[in-house]
């Protein structure tokens, strides 16, 4: 299967690309820079700077994030472009959001039917999730995955906590320390 992947140089995306390649799939990765394109090539991923390549793949996975003030705009534009290229294809489209859209659960288990109360930093994500799920009406096999706190290989938020503890002797958190984290 040919898989188009955004975020293939990122923390989660690089592992997804590695796994896809290991299991015999070919991967085309969206590269926003020459440095990213070189990193993709070195990892066996065919780089492209054109989202149009998603239409040539058998499936698309959107894992990329553009951390900063334009993150919501980048995400919406990318999703709309991918949907436009996949429209009518019946191809799978996987969008990764995150469990942060659940908001504070105050220690209670949350599931798919739990009302969303996203904090401001990700308040825009539920609208993108709805956009992705609505693309099923455009004959796209779409789904939304909400990764929790992923960890491993020394990275992610957990890796940052470990690094802080080793370097500073403490871990900085938001709030009073009563946070609950999903793994």
């Amino acid at each position: 299967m040919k898989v188009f992947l955004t975020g293939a140089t990122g923390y989660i995306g690089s592992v997804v690309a590695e796994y896809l390649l290991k299991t015999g799939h070919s991967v085309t990765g969206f590269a926003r820079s020459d440095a990213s394109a070189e990193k993709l090539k070195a990892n066996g991923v065919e780089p492209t700077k054109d989202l149009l390549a998603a239409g040539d793949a058998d499936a698309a996975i959107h894992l990329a994030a553009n951390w900063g003030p334009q993150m919501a705009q980048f995400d919406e534009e990318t999703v709309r472009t991918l949907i436009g290229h996949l429209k009518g294809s019946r191809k799978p489209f996987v969008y990764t959001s995150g469990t942060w859209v659940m908001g504070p659960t105050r220690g209670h288990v949350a599931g798919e039917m739990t009302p969303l109360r996203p904090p401001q930093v990700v308040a825009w994500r539920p609208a993108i999730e709805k956009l992705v799920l609505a693309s099923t009406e455009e004959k796209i096999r779409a789904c939304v995955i909400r990764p929790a706190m992923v960890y491993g290989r020394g990275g992610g938020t957990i890796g940052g906590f470990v690094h802080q503890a080793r370097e500073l002797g403490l871990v900085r958190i938001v709030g009073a320390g009563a946070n609950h984290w999903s793994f």
Side-chain angles (χ1 to χ4, degrees), residues 24-161:
H25 302 286
S26 65
V27 180
T28 299
F30 180 64
R32 289 180 274 170
S33 69
D34 291 340
S36 290
E38 289 304 317
K39 188 174 180 181
L40 290 171
K41 278 186 205 174
N43 291 334
V45 174
E46 179 186 339
T48 183
K49 290 188 177 184
D50 190 352
L51 287 173
L52 181 64
D56 297 330
D58 299 312
I61 304 172
H62 178 41
L63 290 156
N66 186 13
W67 298 102
Q70 301 300 317
M71 186 172 175
Q73 179 183 347
F74 166 81
D75 205 42
E76 182 177 352
E77 288 173 1
T78 302
V79 165
R80 287 188 184 282
T81 300
L82 291 172
I83 288 171
H85 295 315
L86 296 170
K87 190 175 182 177
S89 69
R90 299 194 187 284
K91 294 177 182 178
F93 174 38
V94 178
Y95 172 75
T96 54
S97 177
T99 57
W100 283 17
V101 299
M102 307 299 265
T105 62
R106 295 172 181 83
H108 293 74
V109 174
E112 290 180 14
M113 304 309 290
T114 302
L116 303 181
R117 294 186 319 244
Q120 190 61 38
V121 69
V122 293
W124 50 271
R125 272 209 164 135
I128 305 296
E129 290 181 2
K130 286 180 184 177
L131 177 65
V132 169
L133 295 175
S135 74
T136 59
E137 296 173 13
E138 303 290 343
K139 296 185 174 47
I140 298 172
R141 293 176 22 222
C143 73
V144 172
I145 296 177
R146 294 180 180 150
M149 297 288 284
V150 295
Y151 58 94
R153 300 184 182 190
T157 303
I158 303 305
F161 288 162

